[in-house]
Amino acid sequence: MSKPKVRGKFITFEGLDGCGKSTQLEKLAAVLRVRGIDVVTTREPGGTIIGERIRAVLLDSRTAGLDPHAEMALMFAARAQLIAEVIGPALEAGQWVLCDRFTDSTEAYQGGGRQLGSDAVLQLHQALCRGLWPELTILMDSDVSSSVGRARRRNLAASAETPDENRFEKESYAFFTRVRNAFLETARREPQRVVLVDARPKLEIVHPQIVRVVFERLIEAAGKKGSPA
Ligand code: TYD
């Protein structure tokens, strides 16, 4: 009989647009792979063929008049597909999944930014994501003007061939302040899962901090419990 597989670990990265989380996620994945860990990286909204089509609708600045509830439903539709196709099977197979955004983003952007509230988001999560939460969430905190400014410059500089992903970046300073505050509130509510990392220092300074958090929370802790990392 084959040995039962150890379930993999699920880590998410959260933060404002342009906070540097995608780069940090890839750098962490590289460190874990060197340790022999089988890592899958993915992103939200997107990560599957269907999810990427939903992403195009959600982020294209030509998507005018999208109702906030419809926006929230589309975020969850992409997520449910990603869990079914990618996250769930990878964790079952013992792989580690690093995901760029997850339900904390919906709580921050739709719950906080669009003011739909946390309860609706958490209820939908329960129904549609079957209670799946990450073991660890790295919340990269940054001030609104520098991170959103960086995201806007990046997307404006994108070539004509890349899809338009500017819809959220057109939102106001007040919107992103609500988003940031909602993220910080989640970190206060769930300190056992969400670790706040200051995203403002240089990339090379932030990276080792993230590696340390992952090792302390997931690798050393698993060793102490006697289970393999
Ligand atoms: P992302 O590709 O991470 O953008 P960036 O690299 O600029 O941070 O995310 C796309 C956008 O979608 C981003 O503006 C946040 C938004 N978003 C939500 O509003 N709700 C959600 O649930 C998710 C996953 C993303």
Side-chain angles (χ1 to χ4, degrees):
M1 219 170 77
S2 65
K3 218 170 110 204
K5 283 229 167 80
V6 177
R7 183 186 179 273
K9 306 268 186 224
F10 182 26
I11 305 176
T12 57
F13 279 71
E14 298 284 2
L16 290 173
D17 303 66
C19 69
K21 65 190 160 36
S22 313
T23 311
Q24 291 294 348
L25 183 152
E26 288 304 332
K27 284 177 76 68
L28 174 66
V31 169
L32 295 174
R33 285 183 182 126
V34 167
R35 263 189 82 98
I37 296 171
D38 191 359
V39 180
V40 172
T41 62
T42 189
R43 69 166 179 184
E44 283 208 2
T48 63
I49 291 173
I50 294 168
E52 291 293 326
R53 292 175 75 175
I54 297 172
R55 178 185 179 95
V57 172
L58 279 164
L59 302 194
D60 191 328
S61 53
R62 290 165 303 181
T63 302
L66 183 63
D67 176 78
H69 287 95
E71 181 180 274
M72 177 161 68
L74 287 174
M75 293 295 177
F76 273 108
R79 181 165 304 131
Q81 191 67 30
L82 186 67
I83 292 171
E85 259 187 61
V86 177
I87 302 177
L91 293 175
E92 290 277 308
Q95 294 174 301
W96 285 36
V97 178
L98 270 50
C99 190
D100 192 340
R101 299 193 181 281
F102 194 61
T103 297
D104 295 324
S105 276
T106 316
E107 195 178 348
Y109 282 79
Q110 282 65 51
R114 300 276 189 238
Q115 299 177 291
L116 299 181
S118 289
D119 287 353
V121 176
L122 297 175
Q123 280 166 21
L124 282 172
H125 180 88
Q126 195 53 37
L128 302 175
C129 306
R130 286 148 284 156
L132 176 71
W133 286 103
E135 270 82 29
L136 176 66
T137 295
I138 305 288
L139 172 55
M140 295 185 51
D141 182 47
S142 181
D143 53 281
V144 170
S145 25
S146 55
S147 52
V148 178
R150 181 140 55 114
R152 283 182 184 144
R153 283 192 298 280
R154 180 191 60 198
N155 280 346
L156 287 176
S159 73
E161 290 92 62
T162 52
D164 173 351
E165 294 205 336
N166 292 303
R167 197 171 68 86
F168 282 98
E169 280 140 30
K170 289 185 174 0
E171 288 298 334
S172 64
Y173 185 88
F175 174 89
F176 285 109
T177 303
R178 288 197 296 277
V179 172
R180 183 184 184 201
N181 288 338
F183 272 135
L184 293 173
E185 183 50 38
T186 305
R188 272 192 289 272
R189 188 183 70 212
E190 292 190 57
Q192 69 293 356
R193 172 175 68 86
V194 184
V195 176
L196 197 66
V197 172
D198 186 353
R200 284 164 287 203
K202 285 204 180 89
L203 194 140
E204 314 76 76
I205 294 179
V206 177
H207 171 62
Q209 290 179 11
I210 293 175
V211 171
R212 187 164 354 101
V213 168
V214 171
F215 276 60
E216 280 171 9
R217 297 260 181 152
L218 298 183
I219 296 181
E220 288 164 17
K224 276 182 204 141
K225 279 186 220 146
S227 56

